[in-house]
Amino acid sequence: MGKVEPPVVNRSLSSWILASNLKLQALLLVVIVIAVFTRVFPLEMQKRIVNQAIRFGELKMLFRYCGLYFAAVVLSVGLKYLISVLQNLIGESVLADMRKDLYHHILTLPLSFFRKTQPGLVVSALVTELAIAGSFIGMAVAVPVTSVLTLLAFAGYLFWLNPLLAAISLSTYPLVLILLPRVQSRANLANKKRVDATRNLAGKIGESISGIHEIHGNGSYRIENRKYDKMVENLRKIRISWNLYKFGVKVLNNFFNNLSPFLIFIVGGYLAIKGRLDLGALVAFISAQEKLYDPWKELIEFYQVYQDATVGYSRTMEYFDAMPEHTLEPEDRNPYELRGSIEVKDLSFVAEGGIQLLDHINLDLKPGEQLALVGFSGSGKSTLAQCIGQLYSYTSGHVLLGGQEVKDLSKKDVVYNMGFVSQTPFTFEGTIRENLLYSCASLVDGDESVEGEAMPSLDDMIETLQQTGIFVDVLRFGLNTILLYDEHQELAAKVVRVREHFRRDFGEELADYVEFFDVDEYLYHSSVAANLTFGSPNKDTYITERLPENDYFLRFTDKADLTRPLLTLGADLCRQTVDILGNLPPDKVFFEQSPIKADELEGYKELAKRVARKKLHQLSSQDRTSLLRLALRFTPSVHKMVRMPSIFEELILEGRALFKEMISHDDPEAIMFYKTSEYIYSQTILDNILFGKSKTVNPQTEEKIHQSIIQVLIGEDLLETIVEIGMEFQVGSKGDRLSGGQRQKLAIARIFLKVPGVLIMDEATSALDNNSQSRIQGLLDSKWKGKSTLIAVVHRLDIIKGYDKIAVMKAGRIGEIGTYEELISKKGMLHELIYGKQAAA
């Protein structure tokens, strides 16, 4: 057997130095040795330039020594940059490994650990606190070796120049070595407090963000602000103390380093005046003594980084120094394939603080049987389900799955044989497909490329989506997708064919519900702007709100003799709207049928006064733009407070033809005009199929339109393609682009797709409407009955009649267990639950 690596939380900081790339470390040492030589070599050149070249007036010698000096400086700079590069590569690689190993460890920790750990704290540890340790590892070899070798080289060179001056120059360093650790120890204590306070602050931020709905719902901003401000103030005081000690270390170091030149000037100047030290040697000595400060400074800074890294690393690892409750994977065998029988014997569970949540539970289920757990809130239903599912490690007793003790099974054994759906399932950022396949992918270690029975087929996925009731949502996501011209031309051509068949097969039937685009007809459910442009803008300057400021469009309206009619329409809309809505509060509900928005009302009130006093041509350009904007927004079917003259419709249709002619010649890329034979890439698949505007927002009408589209998609063999596109829909952070019901259905679908031998559902349908709950329950009663053993924590008592067994829980115990008929006839706890609730209702 290979050597067993200790858990990451038990590794010392120094162990990561040896774990780094040894080849890079060896190369780094070689570069350091050469770099040290290039730092000392110029000092000797300084001495020779003064004592030999300048003293004897040798130009050739001057140029030679200066050239060597310059070459050494250039080489030193290049090598220093190379050292920094190697140092960075080593540090970042080790930091990445630290973060990976700690993250992998954290994911295996028991759920009880996360009940007392805020997400922000974990984020702070992985992202911030380990960064200092990574920086230290990067410099752990480079800085001390470079600094020590440079110090020794400079010290040796100083002693070679003058032993007395060298001894005086180095005399201050022992004092620094005595005083510095004392000040640094104080800084370390403050740093430990800083790490803890920073971690608590990060935890508080994570808690606030996670509970933002409660904060908004209760308006508890001041309460949370006080908590946060107090923690920030505490951190401020700690950081001030920590920084003062750090500054003390630097000041102390700077003082003694500036003291050395003072001594050199006195003693060296005396020796030079007395002729016991030549001038070139003194210049070289002073230069070397000044350069001696650089490696010493680097050592002091390294010492501080080492202390900070040690404190941060140790505090982080101490916090996460916990072990998984269960083995992750079985050794030297494949995961068990267990029968779905479950036996619970004398099971008890005591939580932290000595609170007994389960008390001597006994039950058994044969493979394929279904058990409903019911009872009052806090009776232990979910806790029992989670103990059976190995999410909690029970305190005493036994849970046998297929004859195997659940506590002794590896995590992989459990996930191979069980599926768990919680009351509040989590949706991961990514696509619907990724979330749907999440449970199945875990069986093959996340490798979705594995072929065969391990990963479900597209047909399996679609069937599961249909069964759980999320298929229509996924199809809608697909239909609302915008295709890309460079990637989807073939599919776009098929959608155009679907459009043609949709209009042919359902055009007459849906004529009362859809206003189909027709180049020769005015569109009453579209704005005046949309009627004029009769296409989808490719450039932002041609969207409706920007047309009144588009110089080209204004020249067109002048040429088409539309400017005055549009201004007249805008003036009528302004007057009528202000008359009707002028005295109402600026609530959006009052402005749903108005071309004026609620926040624009005050501005248009003033404009209405000016329109009443002046002729249209006397208005300012800004006022004319505002009126034109109103006219272009005007949609007859929505804004019914003003009737549009039929002659105006004829003008718009004529203008439509002129606009197309002009823009096609002057700027053909600006607008993609509606043509039944062409796909509109700036609009969704649904818009392209419909090729028109819905006349109503009635849900039943919209459903009828969707069903008609689905029939055409099936006929054209495109339904699966659109659903596949819909499965690529990005669900957002924590699935926030999905509704609660959609997230719940998706969680159920991913477990159903896995087809586990044991299915545990902990109030898994609580976020669904009654119809959706009935759909899922019907599926459990039909497809899953006898196929998988089911344990369901149930909150709706009207759906439990079909279960093989019902266990009624109270205060952590099973009060009674049996079939629905048996328990009702006993008139015990279940009878009280059902009929007591009905009486209360």
Side-chain angles (χ1 to χ4, degrees):
M1 292 180 64
K3 183 180 178 181
V4 179
E5 292 291 334
V8 62
V9 291
N10 297 143
R11 289 187 61 173
S12 65
L13 181 59
S14 59
S15 69
W16 291 98
I17 301 174
L18 299 176
S20 58
N21 192 312
L22 295 180
K23 291 182 178 179
L24 283 181
Q25 296 280 26
L27 176 60
L28 184 60
L29 289 174
V30 173
V31 174
I32 287 171
V33 172
I34 301 173
V36 170
F37 174 76
T38 62
R39 295 177 73 173
V40 178
F41 183 76
L43 300 176
E44 180 62 22
M45 292 302 99
Q46 287 181 13
K47 174 187 162 188
R48 295 189 182 190
I49 288 169
V50 175
N51 286 350
Q52 297 179 23
I54 296 177
R55 182 178 179 185
F56 297 110
E58 292 286 342
L59 286 176
K60 288 184 178 180
M61 194 177 292
L62 176 65
F63 292 147
R64 183 188 312 125
Y65 290 150
C66 285
L68 291 172
Y69 181 95
F70 180 74
V73 169
V74 172
L75 182 59
S76 176
V77 170
L79 291 174
K80 189 170 184 179
Y81 178 76
L82 180 57
I83 289 172
S84 298
V85 170
L86 294 173
Q87 186 176 312
N88 181 60
L89 289 174
I90 293 168
E92 291 300 323
S93 296
V94 171
L95 175 59
D97 290 339
M98 278 185 187
R99 284 172 170 163
K100 290 175 187 176
D101 289 355
L102 183 57
Y103 179 77
H104 298 169
H105 173 76
I106 290 172
L107 290 188
T108 66
L109 297 182
L111 293 182
S112 57
F113 175 85
F114 295 99
R115 285 205 299 269
K116 58 183 181 182
T117 302
Q118 291 296 334
L121 190 151
V122 179
V123 173
S124 175
L126 288 169
V127 175
T128 305
E129 295 173 20
L130 285 183
I132 301 174
S135 298
F136 164 72
I137 297 298
M139 62 175 67
V141 172
V143 173
V145 171
T146 302
S147 300
V148 170
L149 287 180
T150 304
L151 276 173
L152 292 176
F154 283 156
Y157 184 70
L158 292 177
F159 275 103
W160 181 68
L161 288 175
N162 191 294
L164 176 61
L165 287 180
I168 292 173
S169 179
L170 298 173
S171 63
T172 60
Y173 289 98
L175 292 174
V176 178
L177 293 175
I178 293 172
L179 296 175
L180 191 63
R182 296 185 179 182
V183 181
Q184 184 64 50
S185 64
R186 299 289 184 90
N188 289 346
L189 291 175
N191 193 24
K192 289 180 180 179
K193 294 180 180 178
R194 178 194 67 84
V195 171
D196 292 340
T198 302
R199 182 180 293 157
N200 292 336
L201 183 64
K204 175 58 189 169
I205 295 171
E207 179 186 56
S208 298
I209 299 304
S210 299
I212 194 68
H213 288 85
E214 288 297 321
I215 294 173
H216 277 256
N218 292 282
S220 55
Y221 312 109
R222 291 184 179 180
I223 295 175
E224 297 304 322
N225 288 343
R226 281 197 297 271
K227 293 178 185 177
Y228 180 77
D229 293 352
K230 184 177 179 181
M231 298 176 78
V232 169
E233 279 300 307
N234 181 49
L235 180 59
R236 179 183 68 86
K237 294 175 183 177
I238 292 172
R239 286 187 62 87
I240 289 174
S241 176
W242 175 56
N243 284 320
L244 288 177
Y245 282 121
K246 287 179 69 178
F247 297 154
V249 171
K250 291 182 180 179
V251 169
L252 186 66
N253 183 48
N254 289 336
F255 171 74
F256 282 107
N257 276 288
N258 290 322
L259 184 62
S260 292
F262 167 74
L263 299 174
I264 295 304
F265 283 128
I266 292 178
V267 178
Y270 174 81
L271 292 176
I273 291 172
K274 293 296 184 179
R276 294 165 58 185
L277 183 68
D278 59 68
L279 185 60
L282 180 59
V283 171
F285 196 97
I286 293 173
S287 181
Q289 200 278 333
E290 288 178 352
K291 290 183 179 293
L292 195 65
Y293 174 69
D294 290 336
W296 178 254
K297 178 184 176 183
E298 290 173 0
L299 272 179
I300 296 301
E301 290 176 350
F302 171 76
Y303 177 69
Q304 283 192 313
V305 172
Y306 166 69
Q307 295 293 334
D308 292 345
T310 301
V311 170
Y313 180 84
S314 61
R315 294 303 254 196
T316 298
M317 295 306 174
E318 284 171 10
Y319 190 87
F320 295 107
D321 190 6
M323 296 306 295
E325 292 178 326
H326 306 283
T327 306
L328 299 185
E329 296 186 0
E331 294 183 8
D332 304 323
R333 65 171 175 83
N334 293 324
Y336 290 129
E337 294 185 11
L338 303 172
R339 296 173 66 251
S341 62
I342 294 176
E343 295 178 73
V344 179
K345 301 178 180 178
D346 209 26
L347 178 70
S348 295
F349 176 61
V350 180
E352 291 183 14
I355 302 172
Q356 183 144 6
L357 299 180
L358 297 178
D359 187 9
H360 297 89
I361 300 290
N362 290 277
L363 63 87
D364 67 274
L365 291 173
K366 297 175 183 177
E369 281 193 319
Q370 296 186 344
L371 168 71
L373 294 175
V374 301
F376 293 104
S377 178
S379 60
K381 306 184 298 296
S382 294
T383 304
L384 175 57
Q386 289 168 337
C387 284
I388 294 173
Q390 208 194 56
L391 295 178
Y392 289 150
S393 183
Y394 41 91
T395 309
S396 62
H398 303 277
V399 176
L400 302 179
L401 170 61
Q404 298 285 337
E405 184 71 51
V406 166
K407 184 180 284 189
D408 298 334
L409 292 174
S410 71
K411 277 291 181 185
K412 201 156 192 176
D413 291 320
V414 173
V415 299
Y416 260 71
N417 293 278
M418 280 191 187
F420 194 98
V421 187
S422 69
Q423 182 178 0
T424 54
F426 193 87
T427 305
F428 292 91
E429 186 170 7
T431 66
I432 286 180
R433 177 190 291 272
E434 290 168 341
N435 276 278
L436 181 62
L437 294 175
Y438 191 78
S439 294
C440 295
S442 67
L443 299 181
V444 290
D445 296 329
D447 184 6
E448 296 183 21
S449 64
V450 175
E451 297 181 358
E453 296 183 0
M455 296 301 292
S457 65
L458 177 61
D459 289 341
D460 292 334
M461 288 188 276
I462 290 177
E463 181 184 3
T464 304
L465 292 174
Q466 289 174 328
Q467 291 173 344
T468 52
I470 196 175
F471 174 82
V472 174
D473 299 295
V474 176
L475 177 62
R476 187 175 290 112
F477 294 145
L479 288 171
N480 287 326
T481 300
I482 293 178
L483 300 183
L484 301 177
Y485 178 79
D486 296 334
E487 299 179 17
H488 303 116
Q489 291 188 43
E490 184 178 345
L491 177 57
K494 293 179 180 179
V495 173
V496 170
R497 190 168 66 245
V498 170
R499 173 198 297 167
E500 295 170 356
H501 292 176
F502 175 71
R503 180 75 71 91
R504 181 195 65 198
D505 297 341
F506 297 99
E508 292 185 10
E509 182 180 338
L510 299 177
D512 292 336
Y513 311 124
V514 179
E515 184 178 57
F516 296 104
F517 293 151
D518 188 330
V519 70
D520 296 321
E521 298 291 336
Y522 191 90
L523 307 173
Y524 294 94
H525 293 266
S526 296
S527 67
V528 169
N531 270 281
L532 279 172
T533 57
F534 197 69
S536 180
N538 294 324
K539 295 183 178 180
D540 290 343
T541 51
Y542 287 92
I543 62 176
T544 299
E545 289 300 306
R546 299 184 66 175
L547 283 178
E549 299 161 357
N550 184 321
D551 291 335
Y552 183 88
F553 183 78
L554 294 177
R555 290 198 299 273
F556 151 71
T557 58
D558 285 340
K559 186 173 181 179
D561 295 326
L562 281 170
T563 302
R564 179 161 288 278
L566 286 171
L567 289 174
T568 302
L569 175 62
D572 289 342
L573 289 167
C574 179
R575 283 192 295 265
Q576 294 283 359
T577 304
V578 168
D579 287 345
I580 296 172
L581 302 178
N583 296 321
L584 294 176
D587 194 317
K588 286 184 179 180
V589 70
F590 298 124
F591 292 81
E592 290 177 354
Q593 297 183 2
S594 163
I596 296 178
K597 299 175 184 177
D599 58 355
E600 297 174 337
L601 181 60
E602 291 303 320
Y604 277 105
K605 279 184 180 180
E606 296 301 319
L607 178 55
K609 294 177 183 177
R610 292 193 291 273
V611 169
R613 295 195 306 265
K614 299 179 180 181
K615 302 296 183 183
L616 291 177
H617 69 275
Q618 295 175 327
L619 295 173
S620 67
S621 60
Q622 184 177 355
D623 286 346
R624 289 163 63 90
T625 298
S626 297
L627 293 179
L628 188 58
R629 179 171 285 109
L630 275 190
L632 292 174
R633 285 180 186 170
F634 179 59
T635 304
S637 66
V638 177
H639 309 137
K640 299 179 180 179
M641 58 187 64
V642 175
R643 291 179 59 84
M644 189 170 66
S646 58
I647 187 65
F648 190 75
E649 296 179 22
E650 295 175 12
L651 288 173
I652 295 294
L653 292 176
E654 290 179 7
R656 176 189 295 177
L658 178 60
F659 180 74
K660 182 178 180 180
E661 180 182 321
M662 287 177 58
I663 201 76
S664 298
H665 178 269
D666 299 330
D667 194 358
E669 300 299 322
I671 301 278
M672 186 168 186
F673 293 102
Y674 295 144
K675 296 181 182 178
T676 55
S677 59
E678 292 184 7
Y679 191 88
I680 309 165
Y681 284 95
S682 58
Q683 297 192 2
T684 66
I685 296 174
L686 177 60
D687 290 335
N688 271 277
I689 295 174
L690 198 61
F691 203 63
K693 289 279 186 179
S694 177
K695 297 181 179 180
T696 178
V697 292
N698 184 292
Q700 293 180 342
T701 301
E702 289 187 351
E703 180 63 22
K704 186 173 184 178
I705 294 171
H706 271 86
Q707 289 300 321
S708 302
I709 291 175
I710 289 173
Q711 288 185 44
V712 179
L713 289 173
I714 292 173
E716 293 297 317
D717 198 24
L718 271 182
L719 185 65
E720 288 188 358
T721 302
I722 303 300
V723 172
E724 275 195 279
I725 293 173
M727 285 196 286
E728 299 307 315
F729 177 77
Q730 293 286 336
V731 300
S733 176
K734 300 180 183 178
D736 61 3
R737 296 184 67 193
L738 302 177
S739 68
Q742 288 170 337
R743 291 195 293 270
Q744 194 99 48
K745 291 174 185 177
L746 186 56
I748 295 172
R750 71 183 173 202
I751 292 300
F752 280 3
L753 197 60
K754 179 181 173 181
V755 195
V758 175
L759 179 59
I760 300 177
M761 302 183 72
D762 185 5
E763 296 195 33
T765 60
S766 59
L768 304 182
D769 58 74
N770 288 338
N771 289 336
S772 296
Q773 288 188 41
S774 299
R775 173 198 290 267
I776 298 299
Q777 188 57 51
L779 196 63
L780 294 173
D781 292 340
S782 57
K783 181 178 177 180
W784 291 88
K785 193 96 169 182
K787 185 174 183 179
S788 292
T789 306
L790 171 65
I791 298 176
V793 178
V794 180
H795 64 285
R796 277 184 56 187
L797 298 179
D798 59 327
I799 62 172
I800 63 175
K801 294 181 179 180
Y803 282 84
D804 299 305
K805 293 180 180 179
I806 300 167
V808 186
M809 297 192 65
K810 184 176 182 180
R813 293 173 173 265
I814 292 180
E816 59 183 17
I817 187 169
T819 66
Y820 181 85
E821 291 76 14
E822 290 172 349
L823 297 183
I824 291 298
S825 63
K826 285 173 58 177
K827 295 189 177 180
M829 297 173 64
L830 181 63
H831 187 277
E832 181 184 351
L833 271 176
I834 295 175
Y835 295 103
K837 284 188 176 182
Q838 290 180 355

